[in-house]
């Protein structure tokens, strides 16, 4: 299995631009998570989906952030407009829901730099 | 509510010495506990987990962790540290259901040759 796939791996953009991050979960996994990691705030859960349905988006910092999961094999995290403080590494993770002791598998991350 | 505490931001150990990275947890039900490792510029990698049964759990790369219910701890250990073990280590917990893992803030391990 290829694991969780994220694209792009690196993104550099200017303030005000729209940014779209992409994630393909492991085949058969029905829970998907978006995290953000910064030096200051550590690892933060932004939103998660079960069976393509958003369950908890309380970690999404502002309305500028939105996430979708149109099908079981694809999710996007969009920032519009982007700001320098959004610079971080964004991770996607997936797991098989329904079993409490299943671990989450993380993708390699997207390093976002907003100038 | 579930929570995890990693009391040390940084742990330094000499190569060949035993290492311990501490973790304490709080859950309302039975805990499922996890350790992850993050190498520079990489995603988090699963190391090991405690489900039930034997309090000593063995995982990848020679790591093990000891579950202590009375102290609500799940410390990560390795008998002999390697320089290549230098990384950021995260403890995480879930009690039941389909909820996400709750992660600690991470402990940076530095193994010095």
């Amino acid at each position: 299995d290829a694991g969780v796939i994220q694209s792009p791996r690196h993104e550099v953009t200017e303030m005000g631009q729209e940014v779209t991050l992409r994630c393909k979960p492991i085949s058969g996994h029905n829970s998907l998570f978006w995290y953000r990691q910064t030096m200051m705030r550590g690892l933060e859960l932004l939103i998660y989906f079960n069976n393509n349905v958003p369950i908890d988006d309380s970690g999404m910092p502002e309305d500028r952030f939105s996430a979708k999961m149109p099908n079981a094999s694809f999710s996007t995290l969009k920032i519009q407009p982007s700001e320098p403080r959004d610079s971080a590494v964004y991770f996607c993770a997936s797991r098989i829901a329904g079993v409490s002791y299943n671990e989450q598998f993380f993708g390699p991350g997207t390093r976002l730099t907003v100038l | 509510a579930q929570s995890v505490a990693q009391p040390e931001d940084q742990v330094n150990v000499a190569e060949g010495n035993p290492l311990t990275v501490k973790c304490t947890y709080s859950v309302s039900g039975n805990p499922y506990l996890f350790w992850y490792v993050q190498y520079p510029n990489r995603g988090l990698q699963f190391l090991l987990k405690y489900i039930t049964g034997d309090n000593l759990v063995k995982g990848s790369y020679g790591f093990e962790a000891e579950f202590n219910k009375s102290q609500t701890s799940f410390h990560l250990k390795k008998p002999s540290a390697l320089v290549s073990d230098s990384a950021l280590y995260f403890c995480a917990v879930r009690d039941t259901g389909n909820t996400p893992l709750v992660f600690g803030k991470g402990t940076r391990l530095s193994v010095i040759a």
Side-chain angles (χ1 to χ4, degrees):
Chain A
D1 198 318
V4 177
I5 299 173
Q6 292 187 247
S7 64
R9 294 294 310 277
H10 302 273
E11 177 81 31
V12 179
T13 189
E14 293 188 346
M15 182 175 63
Q17 297 297 307
E18 177 179 296
V19 174
T20 299
L21 311 181
R22 297 172 176 80
C23 175
K24 177 179 171 56
I26 293 172
S27 178
H29 285 194
N30 56 352
S31 280
L32 183 139
F33 311 85
W34 282 101
Y35 290 85
R36 178 173 69 175
Q37 186 179 35
T38 61
M39 289 291 291
M40 291 296 294
R41 301 173 70 92
L43 192 65
E44 304 173 275
L45 176 67
L46 301 177
I47 184 171
Y48 77 98
F49 298 82
N50 281 343
N51 297 313
N52 312 337
V53 176
I55 303 301
D56 185 354
D57 65 354
S58 60
M60 297 284 261
E62 300 172 32
D63 291 345
R64 297 184 296 107
F65 286 69
S66 62
K68 294 182 179 179
M69 192 164 186
N71 57 61
S73 60
F74 184 65
S75 177
T76 59
L77 178 68
K78 185 177 294 186
I79 308 173
Q80 166 63 18
S82 58
E83 296 183 3
R85 58 190 167 131
D86 301 331
S87 296
V89 181
Y90 290 81
F91 290 104
C92 177
S94 71
R95 69 181 281 254
I96 299 173
V99 179
S100 297
Y101 51 80
N102 278 356
E103 59 268 31
Q104 294 172 194
F105 293 84
F106 282 76
T110 295
R111 182 174 297 276
L112 173 65
T113 303
V114 183
L115 302 174
Chain B
Q2 309 160 71
S3 66
V4 168
Q6 294 182 244
E8 302 154 317
D9 291 335
Q10 174 91 32
V11 170
N12 297 319
V13 63
E15 188 176 30
N17 283 3
L19 70 87
T20 298
V21 182
K22 296 179 180 177
C23 172
T24 59
Y25 67 90
S26 174
V27 297
S28 55
N30 291 322
Y32 300 101
L33 295 154
F34 303 76
W35 276 101
Y36 283 78
V37 60
Q38 184 181 28
Y39 298 102
N41 301 313
R42 303 287 293 275
L44 278 70
Q45 297 178 33
F46 169 74
L47 271 181
L48 52 80
K49 64 184 175 184
Y50 171 80
I51 302 173
T52 187
D54 194 346
N55 289 342
L56 187 64
V57 179
K58 294 187 182 299
S60 307
Y61 311 121
F63 283 93
E64 57 190 26
E66 186 171 12
F67 172 67
N68 187 316
K69 187 173 183 178
S70 63
Q71 296 185 3
T72 61
S73 66
F74 188 56
H75 300 332
L76 181 70
K77 300 182 179 184
K78 188 173 182 181
S80 178
L82 300 173
V83 172
S84 57
D85 293 330
S86 299
L88 187 58
Y89 290 82
F90 291 93
C91 183
V93 68
R94 178 192 295 127
D95 53 9
T96 58
N98 296 325
T99 56
L101 290 175
V102 174
F103 285 88
K105 293 186 176 181
T107 298
R108 187 165 300 280
L109 173 67
S110 180
V111 181
I112 304 163

